[in-house]
Amino acid sequence: MKKIEAIIKPFKLDEVKEALNDVGLQGITVTEAKGFGRQKGHTELYRGAEYVVDFLPKVKIEIVLSEEQVEPALEAIQNAARTGRIGDGKIFITNVEEVVRIRTGETGEAAV
């Protein structure tokens, strides 16, 4: 099993969710996040004073899935989240040792 973590722009969340649903993935976890990479933030004006906003709003999506589902999920996220501008985000893929469904005690892929 694998875990995909994708950091994307917040306004792309619905498109990514629909794209994942279209490839047969339904269970996702979404967390609001703040961060920056090459984008470095931007300058804003507040009550006449200029200040730098370092951490930009992002959304983090987490999905645990079988190895066969990784490629379609990866493609779906990339296509749906891409704007072509800096700050589109990143996707991380890691191995998952075990999954346990708390309610039933199921383990492995049956628990996903």
Side-chain angles (χ1 to χ4, degrees):
M1 287 178 294
K2 299 284 187 179
K3 179 180 182 181
I4 293 179
E5 292 180 66
I7 311 295
I8 63 169
K9 292 182 175 186
F11 67 87
K12 285 294 196 171
L13 178 59
D14 286 338
E15 288 177 55
V16 170
K17 187 177 81 172
E18 285 175 31
L20 288 169
N21 198 24
D22 289 347
V23 295
L25 293 167
Q26 296 170 341
I28 66 171
T29 300
V30 177
T31 310
E32 288 184 23
K34 290 181 181 258
F36 67 91
R38 287 189 197 151
Q39 204 173 357
K40 295 281 193 293
H42 60 279
T43 305
E44 285 190 8
L45 213 57
Y46 179 71
R47 294 188 176 183
E50 201 174 272
Y51 67 101
V52 176
V53 178
D54 285 339
F55 295 101
L56 301 169
K58 301 287 181 183
V59 172
K60 179 172 149 181
I61 298 170
E62 296 174 90
I63 313 159
V64 175
L65 60 172
S66 67
E67 299 217 14
E68 303 82 51
Q69 294 174 307
V70 171
E71 262 324 297
L74 189 58
E75 229 173 86
I77 294 168
Q78 282 181 294
N79 293 335
R82 182 179 294 126
T83 67
R85 293 190 302 271
I86 196 166
D88 276 352
K90 295 254 188 322
I91 300 172
F92 305 96
I93 302 172
T94 55
N95 291 317
V96 173
E97 294 293 320
E98 186 62 87
V99 177
V100 178
R101 186 184 308 268
I102 294 172
R103 180 177 55 88
T104 62
E106 292 172 287
T107 60
E109 289 189 26
V112 177

